[in-house]
């Protein structure tokens, strides 16, 4: 993609004032426009010319879960855009002591210009957005992780150019990352394959929405229980940890269920020779992925992690 040195990067106008709870709420054109804006913001940032699109604006960041990439990328991102970020752990707010989500949303709407929340329950985040008069951005819930998916697509676009028609295989738990990654890829007209053990497939209604979206954009969507079959001729292999935060009691059962779903050299041999390996991090080497893969020449996980910053700046600039 030709990088345009815009003096004024223009936010995606149709997203002004809107929430980002799931990429299902955005059109395919809006997702593409966000990626284009992220590309240009990244270029200008590297040149020391990131425009202060959010000067004087304040983003409140609520965390129920620990974070490295989400917290730091949002804090740095809002600052690079000329605004301010305010970290708030839920245990330090009255919402952690029983104040209703609705009351919290109304109070924060009087102080802030936007809210980013990393939470356990997607339903709680929806309730927050329903009662807030300012944009609410989903930094992660049990069902979706849209900001991660935007960074994933940005990375693949940088590496592969056009995304339409690429084969993307996700190997592992059919979780929030898998949901949002597949939604984003479906917007781009990619061929999405999810390889997961029986009982760990993506949520059925979400799969149905992904399938419809993929077909509309000339792509496809399929769920496999055999990893080697799903990886055949793949342009990208993606994985995530087998046990996420809050699932620690299931750890042993998950280790057994996912034992044959490790991304290793034997599995990767079924993909294209120039396949791209991605992982949302943090990673457990020699569990869901071997060191030979994640630290090998096909891995771009740190470029992917950096792109959280630039993709989120595009979201912040547009919705706020």
């Amino acid at each position: 993609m030709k990088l345009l040195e815009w003096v004024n990067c223009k936010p995606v106008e149709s997203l002004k004032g809107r929430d980002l709870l799931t990429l299902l709420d955005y059109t395919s054109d809006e997702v593409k426009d966000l990626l284009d804006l992220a590309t240009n913001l990244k270029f200008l940032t590297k040149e020391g010319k990131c425009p202060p699109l959010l000067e004087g604006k304040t983003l409140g960041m609520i965390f129920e879960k620990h974070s490295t990439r989400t917290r730091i990328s949002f804090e740095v991102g809002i600052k690079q855009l000329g605004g301010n970020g305010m970290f708030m752990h839920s245990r330090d707010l009255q919402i952690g002591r029983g104040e209703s989500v609705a009351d919290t949303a109304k109070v924060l709407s009087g102080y802030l210009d936007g809210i980013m929340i990393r939470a356990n329950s997607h339903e709680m985040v929806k309730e927050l957005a329903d009662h807030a008069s300012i944009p609410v951005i989903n930094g992660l819930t049990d069902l979706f992780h849209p900001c991660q998916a935007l960074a994933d697509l940005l990375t693949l676009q940088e590496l592969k150019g056009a995304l339409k028609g690429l084969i993307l295989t996700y190997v592992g738990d059919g979780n929030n990352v898998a949901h949002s990654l597949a939604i984003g890829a479906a917007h781009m007209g990619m061929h999405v394959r999810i390889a997961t053990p029986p009982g760990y497939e993506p949520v059925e209604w979400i799969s149905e929405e992904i399938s419809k979206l993929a077909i509309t954009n000339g792509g496809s969507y399929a769920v496999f229980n055999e990893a080697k079959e799903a990886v055949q001729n793949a342009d990208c292999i993606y994985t995530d940890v087998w046990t996420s935060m809050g699932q620690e009691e299931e750890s042993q059962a998950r280790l057994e269920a996912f034992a044959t779903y490790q991304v290793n050299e034997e599995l990767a041999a079924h993909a294209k020779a120039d396949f791209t390996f991605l992982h949302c991090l943090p990673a457990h080497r020699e569990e869901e992925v071997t060191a030979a893969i994640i630290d090998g020449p096909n891995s771009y996980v740190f470029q992917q992690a950096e792109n959280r910053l630039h993709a989120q700046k595009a979201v912040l600039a547009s919705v706020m």
Side-chain angles (χ1 to χ4, degrees):
M1 175 180 295
K2 183 179 180 181
L3 296 174
L4 301 177
E5 192 170 343
W6 294 349
V7 175
N8 295 305
C9 280
K10 294 183 179 179
V12 182
E13 188 64 29
S14 62
L15 298 182
K16 184 177 180 180
R18 286 171 58 186
D19 304 316
L20 174 56
L21 304 186
T22 164
L23 291 175
L24 287 171
D25 297 334
Y26 285 9
T27 68
S28 298
D29 284 341
E30 286 169 339
V31 174
K32 291 171 186 175
D33 288 345
L34 277 175
L35 294 178
D36 287 343
L37 177 58
T39 297
N40 285 284
L41 284 172
K42 180 175 181 178
F43 173 70
L44 292 175
T45 300
K46 298 290 187 182
E47 294 292 309
K49 302 174 184 177
C50 187
L53 297 173
L54 296 181
E55 188 171 6
K57 302 282 189 178
T58 301
L59 174 71
M61 302 179 293
I62 303 174
F63 286 82
E64 286 188 336
K65 289 189 171 187
H66 296 295
S67 169
T68 297
R69 281 149 291 277
T70 299
R71 177 177 177 178
I72 296 172
S73 58
F74 269 105
E75 283 195 15
V76 173
I78 188 71
K79 184 174 182 179
Q80 288 181 350
L81 291 169
N84 299 294
M86 179 180 295
F87 172 80
M88 300 176 286
H89 197 285
S90 59
R91 65 170 176 263
D92 299 324
L93 302 175
Q94 293 295 348
I95 195 173
R97 301 177 60 222
E99 184 170 24
S100 72
V101 173
D103 285 357
T104 299
K106 293 170 185 175
V107 169
L108 293 181
S109 294
Y111 300 144
L112 304 167
D113 300 288
I115 299 169
M116 187 285 298
I117 181 167
R118 183 174 170 92
N120 294 307
S121 165
H122 192 74
E123 289 303 313
M124 186 272 267
V125 174
K126 284 175 61 180
E127 184 179 0
L128 185 76
D130 285 343
H131 293 278
S133 58
I134 56 177
V136 174
I137 300 168
N138 176 4
L140 177 144
T141 65
D142 57 333
L143 286 183
F144 300 105
H145 199 352
C147 293
Q148 178 66 56
L150 288 171
D152 301 336
L153 295 174
L154 180 60
T155 306
L156 282 173
Q157 186 167 272
E158 290 173 341
L159 296 170
K160 303 290 189 182
L163 296 176
K164 188 176 180 66
L166 292 180
I167 299 173
L168 169 64
T169 300
Y170 174 94
V171 182
D173 189 13
N175 58 14
N176 49 4
V177 171
H179 290 158
S180 289
L181 176 69
I183 294 166
H187 273 301
M188 297 297 107
M190 298 169 69
H191 300 291
V192 187
R193 302 169 181 172
I194 306 289
T196 191
Y200 292 93
E201 295 92 349
V203 174
E204 186 174 354
W205 73 263
I206 297 176
S207 277
E208 291 174 357
E209 292 299 318
I210 295 167
S211 184
K212 288 187 290 186
L213 186 60
I215 292 170
T216 298
N217 287 297
S220 63
Y221 173 75
V223 177
F224 296 77
N225 292 133
E226 170 55 55
K228 288 182 182 178
E229 183 182 359
V231 169
Q232 290 295 328
N233 211 36
D235 294 285
C236 176
I237 303 176
Y238 193 121
T239 193
D240 188 12
V241 295
W242 293 340
T243 305
S244 298
M245 285 181 288
Q247 299 173 334
E248 288 79 9
E249 291 183 359
E250 304 173 27
S251 180
Q252 188 55 44
R254 285 174 168 270
L255 283 173
E256 294 172 5
F258 288 94
T260 61
Y261 291 81
Q262 183 187 71
V263 179
N264 50 38
E265 290 175 295
E266 180 184 355
L267 182 64
H270 296 274
K272 290 180 179 175
D274 65 344
F275 80 94
T276 295
F277 174 76
L278 297 179
H279 191 306
C280 57
L281 301 180
H284 298 157
R285 284 168 173 76
E286 309 309 327
E287 194 168 299
E288 75 273 5
V289 60
T290 60
I293 294 294
I294 195 171
D295 299 320
N298 295 82
S299 177
Y300 292 88
V301 297
F302 298 111
Q303 180 174 334
Q304 175 190 8
E306 181 193 333
N307 280 339
R308 287 290 303 277
L309 170 64
H310 308 297
Q312 287 160 192
K313 281 189 295 190
V315 172
L316 291 171
S318 295
V319 304
M320 288 175 62

